[in-house]
Amino acid sequence: MRIREMQVNHEKQPLGCTCGYPVFSWITEGCKGKRQKQARMRIFLDSEGKREVYDSDWQQDIKSTAFCPNVQLSPRTRYFWLVQVRTERGEKITSPVSWFETGKEQETWYGTWLTPEKTQNQESAQKGAGKHFFVPEDLVSARLYLCTRGNPKIFINKKKVSNGYRVLANKEEEIPSYMIYNVTSFLKKGKENVLQFWDGEVLGELHMESSTGRENVLATEETWESVVSDAACTEKKGEQEPEDRQDRALKFSKFPEALHQYASALLPWKQYLLSGDEVQLAEQYGTMQKWVEDIHTVDKALCGTADQGLVSAALYYGSVLCTAKAAKILEIREAAAYYKKLAKEVKQAFSEAYLEKEEGLYTQSLTARILILYWNLAPEKMQKQLLEQVKEELECSEMKIQSEEPDWIYGILEIWRYSVVCGLKPTATGSGFKRAVLAPKPERSRKGASCTYESASGTYRTSWKWTEDGIVFRAAIPFDAKVRFVFPFVGKQIKVNGKRCKEEKMPEKLVLHAGTYEIEMKLK
């Protein structure tokens, strides 16, 4: 038995966690029990657990995929936390102690923006600026908080500082984002040190904490010295600069412009389904709503060439539908009803613009056909035709997709294999894969299929394989999760873990709790 994947705001040991509504999550596994009966979370100011600041006590409604405690946190503080779980069989599991640190939040920045033009002893702009300072002998930890313009390089004692943690500030804050660096190991205790910046403007604070709890702060000021290029502080030729954690730009190859735009509404809902974080969904709902309202009319979505307009309209329909579902989860009933009605109107307009009852679909694009299948935009008869077309093309080409199709289609097809071929899908009411549907679609052209998915609730494993007289399904469901298994067709005989189902009670679906299952279906 163990508890793993302990995260705060969906990250392990973050340096800049928000103080307002932190969300904690973890995965429990290896238990004899199948479900969580109670859980308890505790937060401390020390790793020994002597200075407690929060104790949830034992509760039945603590959700492991997203728990937001009612706790007041201080900025720039390291906290330690653990969680305990009780199962319905009386087992008790205690997690290891993990930690997180809060960011500056709405604290005032001590420093001023530092540019070479404003430093003393120089009349013209120089490449960098620096400051010599003394580090106390009893230094315990040091954090550098830094806002930047441009792409400055940071050096402490001629060693480059990287692997920072990006914090996105609240909308009302003047500073939109900043970086946090753990620089404790860069500093020389009891000696003079030097901090230098090159190629860019910076606003920063270096906070140094001693063993007595005293804090020394070094902030950027106009009195800092301008310095000329130093060979010891330059990167080796051909050396690639490592990317900062949390600062990697999303890169898309040939990604449709439409999908960039529609991500504002699609991604928050997808993240909610995968993570189960209702707090995050509530924070992003305004963005979803604003984007959908910016389109304003159905006609505006149906734009561009035939294929461009089709893709745009399909994604717009998905955006409206996701916004309606989000409003329902957040219990914004009036908005949920409004967007549900709008989604129906978009679907009708899509059908009139791009679907022909007799001739079928006005497109040869694999991208468009997959989107229509994914969002269920065509009548049932046409959906089946499209599905056969897509399967035939994939089977014939074995993933050799037409050159005009965007590279990101590979990602969609991978998701399609998980959710259709193997049949694993999350549900809105049990987001974070606490509840899931397993509805595989076996194909005779394949001997079998399998997938393993690391969800927010734990590891799912599912597979199917044809036999001489039927088919065998296997599934592994993580702790505290529940799955609705839907049979793809009617069989003559069904066995679940070796136990035969009576013919008069031949099921069309099964409810599977945590555990491993082998489901045999005879077709002959």
Side-chain angles (χ1 to χ4, degrees):
M1 299 185 297
R2 66 168 180 163
I3 293 175
R4 62 178 179 90
E5 297 300 313
M6 297 175 66
Q7 298 184 0
V8 184
N9 293 346
H10 312 291
E11 298 178 65
K12 292 182 180 180
Q13 301 178 336
L15 278 176
C17 174
T18 177
C19 292
Y21 300 99
V23 175
F24 295 79
S25 59
W26 58 91
I27 291 174
T28 306
E29 63 183 14
C31 308
K32 292 181 179 179
K34 295 181 178 296
R35 61 181 178 84
Q36 175 182 291
K37 183 178 180 181
Q38 291 179 316
R40 177 187 186 186
M41 201 195 78
R42 303 170 70 189
I43 303 175
F44 312 92
L45 283 170
D46 62 309
S47 58
E48 291 79 24
K50 297 178 180 179
R51 301 164 62 193
E52 186 176 84
V53 297
Y54 175 79
D55 184 353
S56 70
D57 209 347
W58 290 100
Q59 297 182 32
Q60 294 182 354
D61 57 353
I62 290 179
K63 191 169 70 168
S64 65
T65 53
F67 175 60
C68 184
N70 182 17
V71 59
Q72 185 174 353
L73 303 175
S74 300
R76 293 184 299 98
T77 303
R78 172 168 285 202
Y79 291 94
F80 299 85
W81 68 289
L82 61 80
V83 65
Q84 296 173 294
V85 171
R86 286 175 177 165
T87 74
E88 88 282 7
R89 296 188 63 171
E91 300 162 293
K92 181 180 176 181
I93 309 100
T94 300
S95 75
V97 176
S98 189
W99 61 264
F100 65 96
E101 287 187 17
T102 52
K104 280 183 64 65
E105 295 295 307
Q106 299 184 33
E107 280 189 330
T108 301
W109 287 77
Y110 293 117
T112 57
W113 280 100
L114 182 64
T115 62
E117 293 85 348
K118 294 183 179 180
T119 55
Q120 66 177 12
N121 302 327
Q122 294 289 340
E123 296 181 358
S124 60
Q126 299 295 315
K127 183 168 183 173
K131 180 73 173 181
H132 290 263
F133 60 99
F134 183 80
V135 174
E137 184 71 41
D138 60 345
L139 177 75
V140 174
S141 67
R143 300 290 184 268
L144 177 62
Y145 301 85
L146 195 66
C147 304
T148 63
R149 293 171 182 160
N151 188 27
K153 299 176 179 62
I154 313 158
F155 291 87
I156 294 179
N157 299 323
K158 297 185 178 181
K159 292 182 179 180
K160 186 175 181 182
V161 179
S162 59
N163 295 324
Y165 183 93
R166 179 171 292 281
V167 178
L168 297 177
N170 296 325
K171 294 180 180 180
E172 61 269 17
E173 295 183 45
E174 183 179 352
I175 303 298
S177 67
Y178 59 94
M179 301 294 294
I180 303 177
Y181 300 89
N182 183 351
V183 296
T184 309
S185 62
F186 288 80
L187 300 178
K188 300 176 182 178
K189 299 179 181 180
K191 297 181 180 180
E192 186 179 68
N193 291 248
V194 60
L195 172 61
Q196 295 175 316
F197 301 103
W198 303 86
D199 297 332
E201 300 178 69
V202 296
L203 166 63
E205 299 172 4
L206 175 60
H207 290 252
M208 297 172 284
E209 183 180 350
S210 64
S211 59
T212 60
R214 181 180 177 183
E215 185 178 62
N216 294 322
V217 181
L218 176 68
T220 53
E221 297 176 343
E222 295 179 8
T223 57
W224 282 35
E225 298 177 351
S226 291
V227 289
V228 294
S229 179
D230 185 343
C233 285
T234 56
E235 298 174 82
K236 295 179 182 179
K237 188 175 181 180
E239 182 180 290
Q240 292 185 347
E241 180 181 355
E243 291 181 304
D244 287 330
R245 188 162 65 94
Q246 304 303 320
D247 194 29
R248 297 178 176 90
L250 292 175
K251 299 174 183 177
F252 300 96
S253 175
K254 302 179 185 177
F255 206 92
E257 182 180 351
L259 197 51
H260 278 303
Q261 301 167 354
Y262 290 90
S264 297
L266 296 173
L267 287 182
W269 179 250
K270 189 66 175 179
Q271 289 170 344
Y272 168 72
L273 288 179
L274 298 180
S275 70
D277 188 347
E278 194 170 315
V279 172
Q280 186 182 58
L281 181 65
E283 291 174 344
Q284 296 176 334
Y285 175 74
T287 302
M288 299 173 69
Q289 189 179 37
K290 182 179 183 303
W291 192 91
V292 169
E293 290 301 322
D294 283 347
I295 296 296
H296 191 63
T297 64
V298 175
D299 291 339
K300 191 173 180 181
L302 308 178
C303 59
T305 63
D307 279 351
Q308 289 174 344
L310 189 152
V311 169
S312 179
L315 291 172
Y316 179 60
Y317 169 76
S319 299
V320 176
L321 190 63
C322 287
T323 305
K325 292 179 178 180
K328 182 179 179 180
I329 290 294
L330 298 173
E331 297 184 358
I332 311 174
R333 295 180 176 82
E334 186 175 344
Y338 169 76
Y339 290 119
K340 183 178 180 180
K341 180 182 177 183
L342 179 58
K344 185 176 180 180
E345 293 174 358
V346 174
K347 187 173 184 178
Q348 179 62 34
F350 179 93
S351 178
E352 294 173 357
Y354 298 110
L355 302 180
E356 178 64 43
K357 293 182 180 179
E358 296 181 359
E359 298 180 8
L361 185 66
Y362 287 144
T363 182
Q364 296 299 318
S365 165
L366 180 60
T367 303
R369 282 180 282 170
I370 288 176
L371 285 173
I372 292 170
L373 284 171
Y374 185 82
W375 293 114
N376 195 29
L377 281 163
E380 184 177 353
K381 183 178 179 181
M382 190 179 293
Q383 286 279 116
K384 292 180 179 179
Q385 293 175 349
L386 287 172
L387 181 59
E388 292 303 317
Q389 291 172 9
V390 170
K391 287 197 298 185
E392 183 179 352
E393 184 168 345
L394 293 178
E395 290 165 4
C396 292
S397 62
E398 194 60 33
M399 289 299 294
K400 291 182 180 178
I401 299 172
Q402 301 171 3
S403 59
E404 66 268 17
E405 300 294 344
D407 292 346
W408 64 271
I409 199 68
Y410 288 95
I412 286 184
L413 292 174
E414 190 66 22
I415 295 172
W416 182 71
R417 283 193 175 89
Y418 272 71
S419 61
V420 177
V421 178
C422 291
L424 182 60
K425 300 177 184 179
T427 66
T429 53
S431 57
F433 278 89
K434 280 292 182 186
R435 301 292 180 266
V437 173
L438 189 54
K441 305 293 185 197
E443 303 167 358
R444 281 293 183 181
S445 59
R446 296 173 180 266
K447 293 181 179 180
S450 65
C451 75
T452 300
Y453 180 68
E454 293 291 340
S455 76
S457 295
T459 306
Y460 279 87
R461 293 185 177 89
T462 177
S463 67
W464 54 264
K465 185 178 180 179
W466 293 107
T467 62
E468 290 184 1
D469 56 355
I471 190 170
V472 175
F473 303 94
R474 291 184 175 87
I477 315 301
F479 174 77
D480 203 37
K482 186 166 67 174
V483 165
R484 179 164 53 90
F485 182 89
V486 182
F487 288 97
F489 28 66
V490 177
K492 292 187 176 181
Q493 185 185 107
I494 296 174
K495 289 183 179 180
V496 180
N497 287 345
K499 186 176 180 180
R500 181 176 174 178
C501 296
K502 296 181 181 180
E503 290 187 12
E504 61 268 24
K505 295 183 179 179
M506 194 72 71
E508 295 181 359
K509 59 187 72 173
L510 296 172
V511 176
L512 307 179
H513 295 271
T516 57
Y517 298 87
E518 182 178 89
I519 303 169
E520 302 175 70
M521 174 179 277
K522 288 188 177 181
L523 303 175
K524 297 180 182 179

